[in-house]
Amino acid sequence: MILLWSKHQTGPAAQVIRYLLETEVTKTAQQQASVTRRSPAPELLLGDPILVGMMIDSLPFQCRYRCATLSWAEDELDVARFNNGAVGLRRAIDGTVRLFLELACAGIPERARPPVLVGTHTHLGRLEVNILMPRAVGLPGAPLRSWNPHPPTIGSRADWDAYVDVVNSHYGWFDPRDPKRRRATTPPSWMAKEAAEIMRRSAKGEKLRLGPSDPRFRAWALLRQAVQQNASNREAIRQALHHGLAPYQWGVTSESRTSLTCGALHRAGPRVTFKGAALGDGDEDAIDPYDAQSANITHCD
């Protein structure tokens, strides 16, 4: 099991709640919109969508909610048994969610904690449990205070890593930091989502492909190929990208110890940053639990 946090923390509550709970959602791939029907439909495990939505929309803060996803691999948990109500699995998920909420609200009296919304996605053949929390706490009748269950600090990261370790060890689930399970390269979440959507549509017979004219996707393909051929040789990977992206007047524009960024070399334009084990990144990229490509949403720390 892996824990993923959405970077998006503002915008209308109805937008994220619809994505988490509605049976039909609109996805965009290669600038073509399509309605996806989730079957099985999302299941509400805990909370009142109206209450949670009202609290989020009433907050005067810029960052008004946090959304996290607990995600299991297809071969890690039998999603069909879960959907059929298997008691053991249901108890395990309930315990995992309740421990999550206890850590998120550590030190906050129960009556000062915000309402939460917990729902599932299983239509992709694996279990995802989405947890939506207003970013505020306060005793009844007292002013609400801005609150972040996962602030951008080393201590918070260590706390949540420990949570994942404890839960996976207790229930016998996979360790996401196992070197054998780490991805060599990871694209930005929007790119991974679009590629997955294209593959889903292709499986249905729709003629959609990753556009060869988009240098961002070309960079991703070249990077995967270069990593397979050159393992962790940074210089060889860099040269392969420069050569393959030359027709687009693109190349490697910057890099860090754990990432590599490609973009136009002699003009302003889009950039795309890749991470992954082959680039020295020890952690998986967090994939947003809802697709914000068509939404007007601001990122908050």
Side-chain angles (χ1 to χ4, degrees), residues 58-81:
S58 71
L59 296 178
F61 319 124
Q62 179 185 9
C63 299
R64 296 187 292 180
Y65 64 82
R66 288 306 311 252
C67 192
T69 296
L70 306 174
S71 182
W72 287 260
E74 291 184 34
D75 57 344
E76 181 177 21
L77 184 149
D78 191 331
V79 70
R81 290 185 61 238

Side-chain angles (χ1 to χ4, degrees), residues 35-282:
V35 175
T36 297
R37 183 173 182 81
R38 292 166 169 159
S39 180
E43 178 184 353
L44 178 63
L45 297 181
L46 179 67
D48 182 340
I50 295 177
L51 177 62
V52 172
M54 288 177 61
M55 182 171 180
I56 290 173
D57 287 336
S58 71
L59 296 178
F61 319 124
Q62 179 185 9
C63 299
R64 296 187 292 180
Y65 64 82
R66 288 306 311 252
C67 192
T69 296
L70 306 174
S71 182
W72 287 260
E74 291 184 34
D75 57 344
E76 181 177 21
L77 184 149
D78 191 331
V79 70
R81 290 185 61 238
F82 174 84
N83 284 331
N84 288 331
V87 175
L89 278 180
R90 291 278 169 161
R91 286 178 177 170
I93 300 305
D94 179 71
T96 299
V97 170
R98 293 189 181 281
L99 183 58
F100 175 97
L101 296 176
E102 286 302 316
L103 178 56
C105 300
I108 301 172
E110 188 168 347
R111 62 196 184 109
R113 298 178 180 182
V116 298
L117 190 68
V118 182
T120 68
H121 287 169
T122 60
H123 60 288
L124 298 179
R126 55 186 173 83
L127 177 63
E128 290 183 350
V129 174
N130 302 301
I131 305 173
L132 177 64
M133 299 165 285
R135 265 196 59 169
V137 295
L139 294 170
L144 293 174
R145 297 176 57 185
S146 180
W147 160 78
N148 189 351
H150 182 34
T153 65
I154 295 176
S156 180
R157 181 64 175 268
D159 287 344
W160 287 110
D161 283 349
Y163 161 79
V164 170
D165 290 342
V166 167
V167 169
N168 285 334
S169 176
H170 182 74
Y171 292 111
W173 293 325
F174 298 153
D175 176 5
R177 287 179 291 279
D178 184 339
K180 296 179 181 179
R181 301 190 66 85
R182 283 167 53 194
R183 292 171 291 180
T185 60
T186 58
S189 60
W190 70 265
M191 185 179 285
K193 283 178 172 290
E194 183 160 335
E197 180 64 17
I198 289 171
M199 287 188 288
R200 283 194 289 270
R201 294 196 202 178
S202 297
K204 296 178 181 178
E206 297 184 38
K207 295 182 179 180
L208 274 176
R209 295 181 181 177
L210 294 176
S213 61
D214 189 334
R216 295 173 298 180
F217 282 100
R218 180 58 178 159
W220 186 14
L222 287 168
L223 177 60
R224 294 200 308 271
Q225 182 180 29
V227 166
Q228 289 177 350
Q229 295 174 350
N230 300 289
S232 59
N233 186 330
R234 270 292 186 102
E235 181 59 29
I237 292 173
R238 188 186 305 109
Q239 291 302 320
L241 286 169
H242 275 301
H243 178 74
L245 293 173
Y248 305 94
Q249 296 185 325
W250 267 46
V252 177
T253 57
S254 65
E255 55 185 306
S256 72
R257 183 176 56 84
T258 61
S259 67
L260 183 150
T261 298
C262 296
L265 294 175
H266 307 297
R267 66 183 189 278
R271 297 281 190 271
V272 59
T273 298
F274 301 97
K275 298 182 180 180
L279 300 176
D281 183 23

